[in-house]
Amino acid sequence: GAVVSQHPSWVICKSGTSVKIECRSLDFQATTMFWYRQFPKQSLMLMATSNEGSKATYEQGVEKDKFLINHASLTLSTLTVTSAHPEDSSFYICSAPIIWDTYGYTFGSGTRLTVV
Amino acid sequence: AQKITQTQPGMFVQEKEAVTLDCTYDTSDPSYGLFWYKQPSSGEMIFLIYQGSYDQQNATEGRYSLNFQKARKSANLVISASQLGDSAMYFCAMREEFGVDSSYKLIFGSGTRLLVRP
């Protein structure tokens, strides 16, 4: 149980366009979703935390207007990269805490974004 | 602020041998959790092992064990009897308290790339 489905797995888009990444909890209600970005051979850096029904909390240095996060329901959180540029090319991965489980987290399978 | 340090960017180990991946952490919170994850080239995050700050014994999960030294603030991962399939990135992570509802966020170390030689 506690599966998060992330789509798309990979996407290529042109500079200046927007891309939406979805993370959907399949068998539990995710009141919180963490969004990470990972550049090649680097660590996962937390970008923001979304909570169902409220505004997302962004980490320092992350542009709120560029990375739009929406958590409109208990089963869906989305990250939209607006006006994408080549430097936004990265691996994006979502994660939800599992409050009934000490080991606590389930991860999406990640989205590899390439901006050309 | 909490911090996780992994000082080994890359490690080699011979198949069937044991290997230790280092992790040190820094926190002022008396209650915390430490995790190890494996990330193969596919990018998925695979949970390996968890250690709570109040756990008296070191955690073990099959071939994985965690050498938890609280006073030294270290939480090293030991992989015994390495297999070729163990070649991957390994991340140490710490659960950091966040928000009034204690929704914890994970912070990650920089990772160690392990390569198992046949």
Side-chain angles (χ1 to χ4, degrees):
Chain A
V3 175
V4 170
S5 177
Q6 183 170 348
H7 292 280
S9 302
W10 59 270
V11 59
I12 301 173
C13 71
K14 292 184 177 181
S15 289
T17 62
S18 295
V19 174
K20 180 183 282 189
I21 301 169
E22 291 188 351
C23 279
R24 196 176 296 273
S25 56
L26 299 184
D27 50 4
F28 72 106
Q29 294 180 332
T31 56
T32 299
M33 191 73 73
F34 301 116
W35 286 92
Y36 293 89
R37 177 169 58 183
Q38 184 181 29
F39 291 110
K41 298 183 180 181
Q42 295 189 23
S43 185
L44 282 74
M45 299 302 297
L46 182 65
M47 299 175 64
T49 303
S50 71
N51 291 290
E52 186 267 336
S54 62
K55 289 184 177 181
T57 302
Y58 290 81
E59 296 298 306
Q60 193 171 11
V62 177
E63 299 177 62
K64 300 179 183 181
D65 295 333
K66 183 168 188 58
F67 299 99
L68 299 180
I69 290 175
N70 185 276
H71 198 145
S73 76
L74 289 172
T75 59
L76 178 64
S77 178
T78 61
L79 166 67
T80 301
V81 183
T82 63
S83 187
H85 291 285
E87 56 265 31
D88 298 325
S89 298
S90 188
F91 188 68
Y92 294 85
I93 192 165
C94 60
S95 174
I98 312 168
I99 59 174
W100 68 87
D101 184 351
T102 302
Y103 306 144
Y105 300 86
T106 182
F107 287 81
S109 54
T111 298
R112 196 163 300 280
L113 170 65
T114 301
V115 184
V116 298
Chain B
Q2 285 83 343
K3 186 178 178 181
I4 293 279
T5 303
Q6 293 180 255
T7 58
Q8 306 154 313
M11 290 279 287
F12 290 98
V13 65
Q14 204 67 32
E15 191 179 9
K16 299 180 184 178
E17 292 185 351
V19 63
T20 297
L21 306 184
D22 295 340
C23 173
T24 58
Y25 60 92
D26 184 27
T27 181
S28 56
D29 192 339
S31 177
Y32 52 89
L34 297 160
F35 300 74
W36 277 92
Y37 287 90
K38 172 184 178 182
Q39 187 183 43
S41 57
S42 61
E44 62 180 311
M45 297 296 288
I46 301 171
F47 166 77
L48 297 178
I49 199 165
Y50 168 83
Q51 181 85 41
S53 58
Y54 293 117
D55 293 344
Q56 295 296 314
Q57 295 187 327
N58 288 344
T60 61
E61 291 283 351
R63 293 188 299 111
Y64 305 107
S65 60
L66 200 151
N67 184 358
F68 182 46
Q69 297 188 40
K70 194 171 182 177
R72 299 176 65 179
K73 294 189 175 179
S74 74
N76 299 338
L77 176 69
V78 180
I79 305 175
S80 63
S82 296
Q83 302 171 356
L84 296 178
D86 293 337
S87 294
M89 279 290 289
Y90 288 82
F91 290 100
C92 181
M94 180 164 62
R95 179 161 58 198
E96 176 181 283
E97 187 169 357
F98 168 80
V100 296
D101 61 353
S102 296
S103 178
Y104 296 94
K105 61 182 178 182
L106 274 180
I107 55 170
F108 288 85
S110 54
T112 296
R113 182 168 298 278
L114 178 67
L115 182 60
V116 180
R117 290 169 166 158

